[in-house]
Amino acid sequence: MKFSGREVILGIGGGISAYKSADLLRRLQDVGLDVSVVPTKASLNFVGTATWEALSGHPVPTSLWNNVHDVAHIKLSKKASAILIAPTTADLLAKLANGLADDLLTNIVLATTAPLILIPAMHPEMWSHKATQENVERLRNRGVLVIEPDEGRMTGEDIGVGRYPTVERIIKETTTFLEITSPLLGKQILVTAGGTREPIDPVRYIGNRSTGKQGFAIAKVARSQGAEVTLIAANCDLPTPLGVRRINVESASQMQEVLNIEFTKTDALFMTAAVADAKVEKIANEKIKKSDLETIKLSPNPDLLVDLKSFKKGQVVIAFAAETSGDIVVEGRRKCVAKGADLIYVNDVSNGAIFGSDQTSGWVIDSDGNSEKFDLNNKDTLAFELLKRAQVKLG
Ligand code: CTP
């Protein structure tokens, strides 16, 4: 199933139609989603936590002030692939449009990068009120899916637009939206970033100029497209993108150890890390005196990508190379094949270009040797382009 195992949050607003969300929860589970429920305090007047716990199979947090050490809103917002709120009351629409966060659910919404789907249900007068309509427009302009309510009989005597939509329509519109906004939903993406450091003695190491910016951009964009992302970071002084699992390593051998475990679980590997080609044969326990520096002997590090070839079972592999001389495209073609990669991104880093910068330019080359030039691009834009190409190969 396309959505198998993906976690979503179902927020419940304080409206009489809250009971209909019990059925919605079941149908979301039918398409493979793992649903956690976060009701607002007002909604508990209509449906209690026991119903949500029994149906979802998860504990149901109701307040920011329970288990504060757990920082529930950040934990939940990180693991969610999407947030649905049904019913969304007029009050919730107003709060979300204004970025207010005064309870657990609104805090989760403000802290997440996951797609947001709102299912308003209220009396027709409230739905058609200018204030509500303006709030809906603001939310839609921000990329939020606001599903149109149905027309029909309300609680009490009135008839009009404002009814909770049929669960079938909610499922259809939600799954279509998630397929567009989260093309990598259900995919495991592995990214290496930064530059490895090979220790010489307790004070010195062999290192390189890679900062990890391109790898972090790929991790961030992949996560925003719904992927489960693991980032193996070598000596990067950058904040972890929200929702990304980060494993810090220092040397090439540590990176290889983690890669060997993670690669088998992955759909695509983006090997942006600059791996040191050499290590010191014997790491000194004491600082080497400068008079003895010429005693340092180097030995080659394994080529991590080449060694992964024997583990390859359909994973898409994207290599990266930084060159300073020669025919960059020819060298890119050679490396792509030698390393068993499906694609390689090669860039010209002569005269200090690219490293540490937010811009990049280079060529994307595939294993058949086809090359495509990328002129000065933001590293996020390159991440989008490479993820798009990886997705085509993943099918
Ligand atoms: N790479 C690797 N293991 C190494 C060196 C590089 O897996 N020991 C990976 C890098 O992460 C990158 C790709 O191979 O994705 C190309 O890196 P590059 O340093 O250009 O390759 P080298 O084979 O080291 O080439 P060169 O001789 O130009 O240094």
Side-chain angles (χ1 to χ4, degrees), residues 198-229:
E198 309 303 317
I200 298 172
D201 62 21
V203 180
R204 308 178 181 98
Y205 59 80
I206 302 171
N208 62 66
R209 290 186 189 278
S210 178
T211 59
K213 275 192 173 172
Q214 186 61 69
F216 275 61
I218 292 169
K220 180 184 72 182
V221 174
R223 177 65 194 148
S224 75
Q225 296 186 351
E228 296 281 306
V229 184

Side-chain angles (χ1 to χ4, degrees), residues 7-138:
E7 296 175 53
V8 297
I9 291 172
L10 177 59
I12 313 289
I16 176 70
S17 58
Y19 74 94
K20 297 185 180 176
S21 291
D23 186 32
L24 174 62
L25 190 161
R26 279 289 188 232
R27 304 290 79 81
L28 291 167
Q29 290 168 332
D30 286 347
V31 296
L33 292 164
D34 182 6
V35 187
S36 292
V37 180
V38 180
T40 63
K41 202 158 174 253
S43 78
L44 296 175
N45 290 309
F46 297 105
V47 185
T49 52
T51 303
W52 303 126
E53 284 188 3
L55 292 176
S56 70
H58 292 295
V60 171
T62 54
S63 163
L64 269 173
W65 308 111
N66 300 337
N67 301 320
V68 175
H69 65 278
D70 240 10
V71 206
H73 63 291
I74 298 296
K75 237 187 214 169
L76 285 161
S77 64
K78 274 186 185 170
K79 67 177 200 170
S81 301
I83 299 178
L84 287 88
I85 303 180
T88 311
T89 57
D91 177 59
L92 267 173
L93 283 173
K95 277 184 181 152
L96 297 174
N98 286 289
L100 293 184
D102 63 352
D103 66 358
L104 181 59
L105 182 59
T106 47
N107 271 273
I108 291 171
V109 172
L110 211 55
T112 195
T113 52
L116 179 62
I117 298 153
L118 303 177
I119 298 109
M122 63 197 73
H123 283 278
E125 295 79 4
M126 295 171 80
W127 173 248
S128 59
H129 193 285
K130 219 164 179 259
T132 303
Q133 287 305 310
E134 277 174 16
N135 289 332
V136 168
E137 200 183 325
R138 282 172 75 189

Side-chain angles (χ1 to χ4, degrees), residues 271-284:
M271 191 73 186
T272 73
V275 183
D277 289 319
K279 61 178 179 223
V280 171
E281 231 169 48
K282 192 173 172 306
I283 303 165

Side-chain angles (χ1 to χ4, degrees), residues 322-334:
E323 307 290 347
T324 57
S325 60
D327 188 328
I328 288 169
V329 174
V330 170
E331 184 57 357
R333 285 189 185 123
R334 185 192 69 75

